[in-house]
Structure formats: structure tokens, C-alpha cells
């Protein structure tokens, strides 16, 4: 299984914006930082805004920011929202009748379905906050020896 570039870019964009919580981030800035086409990022930004993960501000001085705290943005939700199709084999698409001649007596679909479920369950265990660098540790207070 391979995630689409749209999902890859969406995760990178969310990580970038989450690292700059005090200001609006621009498409041009993110495109330059991650060597991604601005045209692609415009589409990604639109989809993320439609799904409520980011807020966009138009005009001069505009940009985007997270709509929720990073800990409230689940990675599984982002992947499900951005991926147009998680059907890893044709029989998962729900087309009727199935194109596969093994459909009536196939165990492969169950194995692959379980793998997809495990993959998504793993992603569901993480949030955007888990992808961010750990905050710098504060130095321990100096204790005098008495």
C-alpha cells in the first residue's frame, strides 16, 4: 500500500503549520521549505480547510493556521480524509459483480483487510502532536550542596 502525494503533502503541511503556532503560514513558505509545488499545496490546503483541520485567512498578510490543537488532530483521521480510496485490492472497491473470479472462495481479502485495519488502527494511536519535535527540556535548577 502506498499513500498518495496528497496525503503526504497534507501531513507535511500540518506538521509545518503546527511548528509555527504563533503566526499564519503561507503556501509559498511551505512549498519552499518542503520543495513542493505551490499548485499542489493549494489543492491540499483547500481539502484540509474543507475538513476543518486548518483555518485559512485570505488577502495580504493571510495564510493558514491549525483549527485545533495538534493533540486533537488524529493521523488516522487525516489519512482517511485525504485518501480517495483505501481499497488496497479491487475486491475492496465494492463493485458489483466483483471482477475477480476467486471472489466466492477467497481468503486473501480477509488477510489484506486485516492488514489495512491494523495499519489504520496504528495511525489512530497517534496525533499531529506526536509528529512534532519534543519541547526543549528546561534546565534543572542548580542545587547547592549543603
Amino acid at each position: 500500500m502506498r499513500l498518495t502525494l496528497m496525503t503526504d503533502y497534507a501531513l507535511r503541511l500540518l506538521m509545518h503549520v503546527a511548528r509555527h503556532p504563533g503566526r499564519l503560514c503561507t503556501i509559498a513558505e511551505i512549498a519552499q521549505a518542503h520543495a513542493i509545488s505551490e499548485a499542489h499545496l493549494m489543492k491540499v490546503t483547500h481539502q484540509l480547510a474543507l475538513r476543518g483541520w486548518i483555518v485559512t485567512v485570505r488577502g495580504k498578510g493571510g495564510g493558514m493556521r491549525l483549527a485545533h490543537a495538534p493533540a486533537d488532530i488524529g493521523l488516522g483521521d487525516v489519512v482517511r480524509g485525504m485518501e480517495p480510496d483505501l481499497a488496497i485490492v479491487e475486491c475492496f472497491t465494492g463493485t458489483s459483480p466483483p471482477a475477480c473470479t476467486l471472489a466466492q472462495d477467497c481468503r486473501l481479502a480477509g488477510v489484506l483487510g486485516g492488514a489495512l485495519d491494523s495499519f489504520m488502527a496504528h495511525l489512530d494511536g497517534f496525533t499531529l502532536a506526536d509528529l512534532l519535535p519534543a519541547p526543549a527540556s528546561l534546565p534543572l535548577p542548580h542545587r547547592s550542596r549543603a
Side-chain angles (χ1 to χ4, degrees), residues 51-100:
R51 286 168 173 77
W53 289 309
I54 62 171
V55 173
T56 59
V57 177
R58 294 180 149 235
K60 185 172 168 95
M64 68 191 90
R65 67 176 179 271
L66 293 180
H68 308 281
D72 295 331
I73 299 175
L75 297 186
D77 293 334
V78 173
V79 169
R80 284 183 195 90
M82 297 304 294
E83 283 297 313
D85 182 4
L86 287 172
I88 55 178
V89 289
E90 185 180 15
C91 58
F92 285 11
T93 62
T95 58
S96 184
C100 180

Side-chain angles (χ1 to χ4, degrees), residues 1-138:
M1 182 175 146
R2 183 175 185 164
L3 298 177
T4 62
L5 281 177
M6 190 85 148
T7 302
D8 177 20
Y9 294 167
L11 292 168
R12 289 198 234 176
L13 183 147
L14 289 170
M15 290 168 57
H16 185 95
V17 173
R19 288 180 175 185
H20 302 93
R23 65 177 179 83
L24 295 174
C25 297
T26 67
I27 288 174
E29 161 196 338
I30 297 167
Q32 183 176 14
H34 297 277
I36 299 171
S37 149
E38 286 188 36
H40 278 101
L41 279 180
M42 287 176 66
K43 294 174 189 174
V44 170
T45 300
H46 180 71
Q47 291 302 314
L48 291 171
L50 284 176
R51 286 168 173 77
W53 289 309
I54 62 171
V55 173
T56 59
V57 177
R58 294 180 149 235
K60 185 172 168 95
M64 68 191 90
R65 67 176 179 271
L66 293 180
H68 308 281
D72 295 331
I73 299 175
L75 297 186
D77 293 334
V78 173
V79 169
R80 284 183 195 90
M82 297 304 294
E83 283 297 313
D85 182 4
L86 287 172
I88 55 178
V89 289
E90 185 180 15
C91 58
F92 285 11
T93 62
T95 58
S96 184
C100 180
T101 59
L102 299 173
Q104 298 299 320
D105 192 28
C106 179
R107 293 183 173 181
L108 178 60
V111 171
L112 294 175
L116 178 60
D117 291 345
S118 294
F119 176 70
M120 294 310 298
H122 184 74
L123 289 177
D124 286 337
F126 296 92
T127 68
L128 180 58
D130 295 314
L131 302 181
L132 302 177
S137 300
L138 296 175

